[in-house]
Amino acid sequence: MAELNGMTNTAPTQFVEASNGIRYAYRRFGAATGTPLLLLPRFRGDMDTWDPALLDALAGKRPIVLVDNRGVSSTSGITPSTIAEMARDIIAFCEATTLSTVDLLGFSLGGFVAQEIALLRPHLVRRLILAATSPQGAPDIHGWRKDIADAVRLDEPGGPQLLYTFFKPTETSQAAGMEYLGRFLSRSEDRDVASTLQTRDAHYDAVCDWGIPDHSKLQRLTGIRQPTFVCNGDADAMIPPRFSHLMGGMIPNAVVKIYPDAGHGFLFQHHAEFAKDVSAFLDD
């Protein structure tokens, strides 16, 4: 399949030393000019957990930057257990790679980090995409449902766990999930190393800390002034789409889209449509 042999699967892994002493692993590919689109991955995610078909579609019009944050996979250090620390680590990476302005796409936990970056360093972020994520302090998001948490926190989660947690239990969504599994395993050389159990535990501590109910923290959303695209699947069991509507109502310049027959991994199931929507939003 042509989509499995594009820029994503051949982009070399590069390394950069930042002022915080961390050696970051990253990949940059796609168009030579334009505002770079920096992608921040999910819980336990690394550069190879993205969908190559989605990335190749996005890379046709803009530079794409993937990165492993502190302590994750091929990047040095110990993974911190708060979203604020993760955000400052990404800011340090941007400074080290002279990324003075980026468009920012955060998926799931990466969406928590993206919100924090937009608030801490507003001039860094031109436009913001929040995919399958939630605001800090929202009600009923203090950790994940037990069956979901048990699946994703296994020492070595595999295909069945991804299908269960990321895709809706319908024939069409599960079939799309199987296709995604084939695509994201398609890179045969220079693959990222698996993230550690320390990263797993730090990430889940950060998820729980972010989700401690605190109505006052929802007001932070009003400080996000960048144009923002908020999106999710209609049956996300990890972070229900009602949180997308909540963010869309509180971020001053936000639009919301909910994708049908899809779960947490809607952006992989609907990769072609999502890539078009992201490109249209960034080009608007």
Side-chain angles (χ1 to χ4, degrees):
M1 295 174 62
E3 65 184 10
L4 300 185
N5 297 303
M7 292 174 278
T8 303
N9 282 347
T10 58
T13 300
Q14 303 179 67
F15 295 90
V16 65
E17 189 95 17
S19 60
N20 58 3
I22 299 301
R23 184 174 184 255
Y24 290 86
Y26 73 101
R27 296 175 189 152
R28 179 166 178 155
F29 55 94
T33 59
T35 302
L37 176 60
L38 175 61
L39 287 85
L40 306 181
R42 58 170 172 85
F43 174 80
R44 301 179 78 172
D46 57 45
M47 293 185 289
D48 285 327
T49 55
W50 294 102
D51 186 338
L54 170 63
L55 298 181
D56 280 348
L58 293 171
K61 296 187 65 176
R62 66 197 79 253
I64 301 295
V65 180
L66 310 181
V67 62
D68 291 335
N69 207 349
R70 178 196 293 253
V72 176
S73 298
S74 302
T75 290
S76 70
I78 302 298
T79 304
S81 58
T82 69
I83 298 302
E85 289 175 280
M86 295 178 194
R88 293 198 178 278
D89 286 332
I90 290 294
I91 290 170
F93 164 76
C94 290
E95 291 172 344
T97 49
T98 63
L99 291 171
S100 59
T101 304
V102 298
D103 292 323
L104 193 56
L105 191 164
F107 169 41
S108 192
L109 178 144
F112 304 166
V113 179
Q115 292 171 62
E116 195 74 9
I117 292 170
L119 290 167
L120 290 174
R121 196 63 63 89
H123 68 266
L124 174 63
V125 182
R126 188 184 73 100
R127 286 184 171 241
L128 182 64
I129 302 155
L130 301 175
T133 193
S134 70
Q136 186 176 17
D140 302 321
I141 197 64
H142 188 204
W144 292 317
R145 203 174 72 194
K146 186 178 184 303
D147 59 322
I148 298 292
D150 287 348
V152 300
R153 296 180 69 215
L154 288 175
D155 286 0
E156 296 183 9
Q161 287 75 38
L162 273 171
L163 290 172
Y164 181 73
T165 56
F166 274 40
F167 296 89
K168 191 173 180 178
T170 62
E171 183 176 347
T172 49
S173 185
Q174 290 291 302
M178 288 296 296
E179 293 175 359
Y180 161 68
L181 290 178
R183 292 194 301 269
F184 106 85
L185 292 171
S186 63
R187 184 180 176 108
S188 59
E189 297 181 4
D190 190 28
R191 284 189 67 85
D192 225 348
V193 299
S195 60
T196 66
L197 298 185
Q198 188 275 322
T199 291
R200 175 199 66 184
D201 295 340
H203 275 185
Y204 199 62
D205 283 350
V207 167
C208 292
D209 178 70
W210 184 261
I212 295 171
D214 186 343
H215 187 268
S216 66
K217 285 195 165 54
L218 295 176
Q219 299 304 312
R220 302 170 82 242
L221 292 171
T222 64
I224 297 176
R225 297 292 172 170
Q226 295 89 345
T228 303
F229 178 35
V230 185
C231 39
N232 204 348
D234 67 349
D236 188 344
M238 295 185 75
I239 303 180
R242 66 178 180 274
F243 296 113
S244 297
H245 292 294
L246 176 60
M247 289 189 292
M250 297 195 70
I251 296 173
N253 191 10
V255 293
V256 177
K257 180 170 180 176
I258 305 299
Y259 292 75
D261 186 37
H264 197 63
F266 78 93
L267 66 172
F268 308 144
Q269 177 174 339
H270 295 284
H271 57 88
E273 181 180 358
F274 181 65
K276 290 180 181 177
D277 292 339
V278 167
S279 291
F281 169 72
L282 295 179
D283 291 342
D284 186 12

